[in-house]
Amino acid sequence: MASQNNPTYAQWTLPASGGIDALQFDSAATLGRLLDDEVNVEIRAASVNYRELVIVKGGLPGTNESSSQQGVVPGSDGAGIVSAVGSNVTNFKPGDRVVTHIFPHVPDDYKPVMADVSAGLGKEMDGTLRQYGRFHHTTLVHAPENLTFEEAATLTCSGLTAWNALFGLRGREVGQGDWVLVQGTGGVSVAALQFAVAAGATVVATTSSEAKADRLRRLGATHVVNYKTTPEWGASARGLTPDNRGFDVVVDVGGDMTLGQSVQAIRTDGIVVAAGLIGGSAEPVPMMAALFNHCTVRGIIAGTRAQFDDMVKFVEAKNVKPALDDVVFGIRDVKDAYRRLDKQAHFSKIVIRLHA
Ligand SMILES: NC(=O)c1ccc[n+]([C@@H]2O[C@H](COP(=O)([O-])OP(=O)(O)OC[C@H]3O[C@@H](n4cnc5c(N)ncnc54)[C@H](OP(=O)(O)O)[C@@H]3O)[C@@H](O)[C@H]2O)c1
């Protein structure tokens, strides 16, 4: 910041159109007056998700397209240090290490839907690609004590979604003896791999890249299947499970492109978690596929704040260290970070350090 009286800092904002190239850099942003329910945070690190790409390219499915996102600070994920709290804030104090939660003004156990993804941080509310931020206290949780700011900044969107996928359905939490299938090496899938391994499950992963396969194995995947060279990867992965019984949980991030194979891989009474749609467009898989394969298909949107707190406790108890991509970007390099994400060149999470 320039001075206490006239604090300025750097941030990015979303353009009206033009995609990644049109993202705007502002080196003289100011915080404004702290309101009673707000918390000032020095944001140390942010991470980007597929969501950020969709937003900068012009919208999210199932959301209010008439609402403008121009001028909003993008990014839902961030971690930093509380510098001041408003008079109504009791759960945070200066010096606390915090992580952002996407969804403001909702109870701890509120299960978000797609419209909330639009209304949240980085789309209709200022997000995390800035050095300092004023946040409503409901958009923050305490950070795990065992993580760096860079690691903690991976938890907001993809981390919480992975957590919910594995542990969000009461009575069906993943544990020892379970087999879990994760797809590709993006943020959701690698977090799901790490959480499932930490819970004692056996994990099979898919990828299109032999180089990334090595890293999946090092993180604990017992087998890796190449979904490009093995088009019937669902059946192939199923063949790795005991007696060909299938997976207890498949975390599906590819949508119509992958759900057909996911139901081939699932066991009787298993759960296919419909978490994403990164695979591209394909003929939709009929809902009756659940009947034919005797399974549950469970759609999820990120998770609740209560689940976030549970995830933080788990990360601390099991000392899970979220995997980061090889390249960490600086605040001026945000467009390059988006381009790397867009090319799917990354492994797990692309992180941006917001201060030198
Ligand atoms: N439900 C929710 O609340 C929620 C939350 C977060 C994300 N999502 C969704 O989940 C999806 C993943 O998000 P993310 O942030 O983890 O993305 P990401 O980090 O950008 O993931 C990129 C990776 O996805 C993999 N991939 C692409 N097409 C694939 C396919 N056909 N089969 C298997 N893997 C494929 C690739 O892995 P390889 O390079 O290894 O092949 C690629 O590197 C997106 O659709 C996103 O919108 C949903």
Side-chain angles (χ1 to χ4, degrees):
M1 292 213 199
S3 80
Q4 280 300 101
N5 296 332
N6 183 25
T8 61
Y9 60 90
Q11 69 176 17
W12 288 86
T13 58
L14 288 165
S17 61
I20 296 170
D21 290 339
L23 278 164
Q24 304 279 316
F25 185 70
D26 174 5
S27 60
T30 53
L31 261 189
R33 191 172 67 84
L34 181 68
L35 302 180
D36 292 345
D37 292 322
E38 291 181 335
V39 176
N40 278 349
V41 179
E42 178 183 335
I43 311 169
R44 292 291 185 83
S47 77
V48 283
N49 301 281
Y50 183 72
R51 174 178 184 262
E52 271 68 62
L53 285 179
V54 177
I55 289 171
V56 78
K57 289 178 184 178
L60 285 166
T63 61
N64 178 10
E65 291 306 328
S66 63
S67 63
S68 170
Q69 60 190 35
Q70 185 183 3
V72 170
V73 176
S76 57
D77 299 26
I81 301 180
V82 171
S83 55
V85 299
S87 59
N88 290 341
V89 176
T90 55
N91 47 343
F92 299 103
K93 60 181 186 321
D96 283 353
R97 300 166 79 253
V98 289
V99 188
T100 51
H101 180 53
I102 301 178
F103 312 105
H105 309 297
V106 293
D108 283 355
D109 60 352
Y110 176 76
K111 295 192 168 88
V113 295
M114 201 62 195
D116 299 304
V117 175
S118 181
L121 296 189
K123 172 79 164 71
E124 290 179 14
M125 298 187 72
D126 284 338
T128 54
L129 289 174
R130 53 180 167 161
Q131 293 177 310
Y132 295 86
R134 268 192 304 129
F135 293 95
H136 193 270
H137 69 91
T138 53
T139 61
L140 297 171
V141 298
H142 289 276
E145 286 176 6
N146 60 322
L147 299 191
T148 63
F149 289 112
E150 287 81 5
E151 291 164 341
T154 67
L155 295 177
T156 305
C157 180
S158 51
L160 184 55
T161 303
W163 172 267
N164 187 0
L166 300 175
F167 308 109
L169 197 58
R170 288 236 172 94
R172 294 299 302 267
E173 296 89 346
V174 162
Q176 211 142 23
D178 286 332
W179 282 65
V180 174
L181 177 63
V182 300
Q183 302 172 353
T185 54
V188 174
S189 305
V190 175
L193 162 68
Q194 293 189 275
F195 291 153
V197 168
T202 303
V203 184
V204 176
T206 70
T207 180
S208 60
S209 153
E210 288 310 313
K212 292 178 179 181
D214 279 345
R215 215 167 154 195
L216 288 167
R217 286 189 199 97
R218 276 186 267 134
L219 287 173
T222 54
H223 300 87
V224 180
V225 180
N226 188 314
Y227 64 85
K228 282 271 161 67
T229 57
T230 312
E232 300 294 319
W233 51 265
S236 179
R238 182 191 189 98
L240 299 166
T241 63
D243 303 323
N244 200 37
R245 73 177 188 214
F247 290 85
D248 299 274
V249 175
V250 176
V251 182
D252 189 287
V253 295
D256 291 333
M257 193 68 99
T258 49
L259 278 166
Q261 287 301 305
S262 292
V263 294
Q264 296 303 315
I266 202 71
R267 72 177 294 179
T268 299
D269 281 337
I271 301 168
V272 175
V273 182
L277 35 75
I278 201 167
S281 53
E283 189 66 29
V285 177
M287 270 196 166
M288 293 306 283
L291 180 152
F292 297 143
N293 295 283
H294 204 126
C295 67
T296 299
V297 179
R298 174 176 177 247
I300 58 166
I301 295 285
T304 69
R305 203 166 41 247
Q307 287 173 335
F308 206 144
D309 288 334
D310 289 344
M311 173 173 68
V312 167
K313 286 185 202 128
F314 179 90
V315 164
E316 287 176 343
K318 304 282 184 182
N319 196 22
V320 177
K321 302 288 259 179
L324 308 183
D325 186 30
D326 294 333
V327 187
V328 174
F329 293 86
I331 187 164
R332 287 191 172 271
D333 309 321
V334 159
K335 287 185 186 178
D336 290 335
Y338 270 68
R339 289 187 191 109
R340 184 167 169 83
L341 188 70
D342 203 15
K343 281 191 278 186
Q344 300 189 351
H346 63 294
F347 182 92
S348 190
K349 294 300 294 183
I350 293 181
V351 166
I352 295 141
R353 279 196 197 109
L354 296 169
H355 298 262

